[in-house]
Amino acid sequence: MKWIKSAFFKKKKEAATLRRRINIGDQEPSYPIYAIGDVHGCIDLLRDAENRIADDMSKSKRTGLVILLGDYVAKGPASQMVLDHLIKPSAHGLRRVALCGNHDDLFYKVLQDPDAHPNWLSQAGKQTLLSYGIDLDYLRSQKGLATNALAQVMKDSIPAEHIDFLAGLPVTLRVGSHLFVHAGVRPGVPLDAQHESDLLWIREPFISQGPNLPLLVVHGHTPRIEVSFGPGRIGIDTGAFQTGNLTVLKLDRGDVAIL
């Protein structure tokens, strides 16, 4: 009974905070789709990726849709600049859809309640906050990093537009037989029954088994040196922060290419 109650309340809490899931329709797209892997605070690599996409569209004289697979913050030095960039209209006029990654979701939750996520500060939090001019080492030495002190500093330093952007990020986008998601899906589970935590965090058994659904899943989250092709899935997190390689995958009427 205790386990049943725990599972019930966990599911109820998750349902109350579900992010949007976008379905453009069952028809296969007649336009190219460009998917960008995990950015992780690498603004220069993101700009370069968008330049490559704009150049490809110019050469083909066909306008496409750009889908970013999440994790805009953490690890790299410029989380704040990446969010600034994505909030503004594209300088190239690109149609962009930014999906939510686990690091983006966690950053948003920390902004709501820092005390509920203490481990974040010792993991991705330090570099993320430093991009906003928040020095955790200084706060520790001056204020002991009390939760209320950190919450006030974040409130004063992080623009409301960034918080709204993080809050509004959808978790999936489906176009025809293609599903775009940050981490992946629970194999064999219908899309409408997928838990948000899996969509943001899952690795196994998805990486080895694939979705076990009539879909091609394009995802990030699990870094590899090169683009990873598995059963029913393509992983495009090529560890941009460490490798300097931010992958752009192009899907166009059955053809798959890497820009």
Side-chain angles (χ1 to χ4, degrees), residues 143-175:
K143 302 179 181 180
L145 200 62
T147 300
N148 58 347
L150 176 59
Q152 186 59 50
V153 170
M154 290 193 298
K155 181 179 179 181
D156 294 339
S157 304
I158 299 174
E161 293 84 357
H162 287 201
I163 300 173
D164 292 342
F165 176 78
L166 293 167
L169 291 172
V171 74
T172 60
L173 188 151
R174 181 179 178 182
V175 187

Side-chain angles (χ1 to χ4, degrees), residues 172-236:
T172 60
L173 188 151
R174 181 179 178 182
V175 187
S177 60
H178 299 78
L179 180 73
F180 300 86
V181 61
H182 177 65
V185 298
R186 181 67 55 180
V189 176
L191 285 185
D192 58 1
Q194 293 280 341
H195 287 183
E196 188 170 284
S197 58
D198 282 333
L199 301 173
L200 292 171
W201 289 92
I202 197 170
R203 286 198 169 104
E204 291 296 349
F206 168 70
I207 296 300
S208 57
Q209 295 182 20
N212 289 336
L213 297 171
L215 294 167
L216 175 63
V217 177
V218 179
H219 66 95
H221 185 60
T222 300
R224 296 286 188 267
I225 296 299
E226 298 178 342
V227 172
S228 171
F229 293 88
R233 67 167 190 85
I234 305 176
I236 64 169

Side-chain angles (χ1 to χ4, degrees), residues 94-169:
L94 302 177
R95 293 187 301 152
R96 296 185 303 209
V97 178
L99 299 179
C100 189
N102 60 301
H103 282 280
D104 312 310
D105 184 63
L106 187 54
F107 184 31
Y108 175 73
K109 289 175 179 175
V110 168
L111 294 174
Q112 308 308 304
D113 185 2
D115 196 41
H117 304 278
N119 291 336
W120 182 80
L121 296 176
S122 60
Q123 297 172 356
K126 185 174 181 178
Q127 197 67 37
T128 302
L129 293 182
L130 193 59
S131 74
Y132 289 92
I134 302 172
D135 188 333
L136 291 180
D137 291 334
Y138 174 80
L139 286 177
R140 286 190 180 102
S141 65
Q142 299 297 312
K143 302 179 181 180
L145 200 62
T147 300
N148 58 347
L150 176 59
Q152 186 59 50
V153 170
M154 290 193 298
K155 181 179 179 181
D156 294 339
S157 304
I158 299 174
E161 293 84 357
H162 287 201
I163 300 173
D164 292 342
F165 176 78
L166 293 167
L169 291 172

